[in-house]
Amino acid sequence: MLAVAILAAGKGTRMKSELPKVLHKVSGKSLLNRVINSCSKLSPEKIFVIVGHKSDEIKKSLDSNNHRRKIHFILQEPQNGTGHAIQVLSKELNDFKGTLLILNGDVPLITPETLKDFLDKNAEENPDVSLITTRKERPLGYGRVFTNGKLIEKIVEERDCDEKERLNTLINAGIYCFKWEKLSKIVHKLKNNNKQKEIYLTDAISLLKTAFSYEIKNYDELQGVNNRIQLAKCEQILQKRIQDFHMMNGVTIINPASCTISEDAEIGIDVTLEANTHIRGESKISDNCIIGPNTFIENSFVDKNCNIINSTIFNSSLMKDINVGPYSHVRPGTKISSNTKIGNFVEIKNSHIEESVKINHLSYIGDSEIGQSTNIGAGTITANFDGSEKHTTTIGANCNVGANSVFIAPVNIEEYVTTAAGSVINKNVGKESLAIARAKQTNIKNWKKKKRKSN
Ligand code: UD1
Ligand code: CA
């Protein structure tokens, strides 16, 4: 039987943050969420998350997590170290017989594959405890692992190392597999006789008979997060992992270092991502699109052959053959049909734009329906908000909306309508009509500006 314990009670002092460390994000997901996701793939019997510092905030952050129901929170108060966390947990595990996989909540890049291998190897070797180790040229901040032949003798935290011990490059990744039967017998013997005056889980190793080192070469996966430099390092490692995957699958990324892609994004073949392009959340970009430079797309669907330049798109869907930008802002709830052109300085929110529409310049379209092949003139505004409520503007197919038209919603414009430039439209317009709603121009003949009196 497998149970998982994730240590997430610490404050993360070195982050210098109001936010608990494990809630800091790498590529859009919190460190803790990432560790939980990787562990869940092992289908454990139970997942315990040890919380303490700002525990409510941490619980709340997992509310929308799919695995929420399976997670048992254990409150560690005060937080006297990683060994103390397991002492607190031990009350919950009275009848438990099996393997306890313990992970620090700040190793976000560990993959389910590596964890699975680790568990398999542990089962094969069958020691009291196994732990994941790796060699780091500059092992700053990590506990050093001392072996004797195949077995581990002890772990010494960097702070407690003497000069010679500090030169050891074999480090503890903070991922352990214990036989609970063995750990439960010694966990309460752990003491805080070290520089930090904390109860260290790592001291359990020398109290057990057989401790096995599962050394892995790819230390990128084991990158811990204690400060924001390491957080950035994780982001860099993960982005390389994601972007390499897409490049191998037929995506051109002009300047990978300037782009970010969420691992939940799907990207088709022959897509080009220009510099400074960010594909976030659950977005899907279909074949043959050119995205960017300077473009941000979140939780959106983009069909084939679209060109999007210098623009921002949130929670929307765009059908094929659309041009967007430069400098367009497509806000949530927007659906744009194929062959449409959304031009510069155009903002669209919660609207449905039919095929072959042109909204080329300087417009705000909110809560609107725009029919097929309609042309929206420069500077058109849908005034959708009356100060307390939002209302809909409907403009039918094949309309010509004059430049600088304002539609005071709710208002309904039928098909083949033309509105004169500068009109403020607050009444419905029947089909094939021309609507003019502006003050008449008056020309005063022979009018000269009076001359100033000279003094
Ligand atoms: C720990 C290990 C170190 C290892 C490193 C790997 C110990 C004593 N040291 O050091 O050998 O190389 O991780 O990244 O374990 N936590 C609690 N309760 C507490 C204290 C901490 O739940 O009372 C949690 C933290 O939230 C964190 C994790 O345990 O997620 C590790 O704590 P941290 O302080 O980061 O340990 P390190 O100093 O990195
Ligand atoms: Ca750490």
Side-chain angles (χ1 to χ4, degrees), residues 55-103:
S55 56
D56 287 342
E57 213 172 308
I58 292 180
K59 286 181 193 169
K60 217 170 124 211
S61 81
L62 295 177
D63 273 353
S64 57
N65 189 298
N66 301 337
H67 316 294
R68 174 76 174 80
R69 268 166 291 133
K70 271 200 167 176
I71 294 170
H72 304 266
F73 292 102
I74 306 293
L75 188 65
Q76 183 200 5
E77 202 71 81
Q79 296 88 44
N80 289 337
T82 48
H84 176 243
I86 301 302
Q87 290 176 346
V88 174
L89 170 69
S90 67
K91 295 181 198 84
E92 301 291 320
L93 291 174
N94 279 337
D95 308 320
F96 179 68
K97 287 190 177 51
T99 304
L100 180 65
L101 174 67
I102 302 178
L103 301 98

Side-chain angles (χ1 to χ4, degrees), residues 14 138-144 157-158 226 230:
R14 291 164 280 183
R138 298 175 58 218
L140 224 66
Y142 289 94
R144 309 294 204 274
E157 289 308 298
E158 183 169 82
N226 292 323
Q230 290 171 330

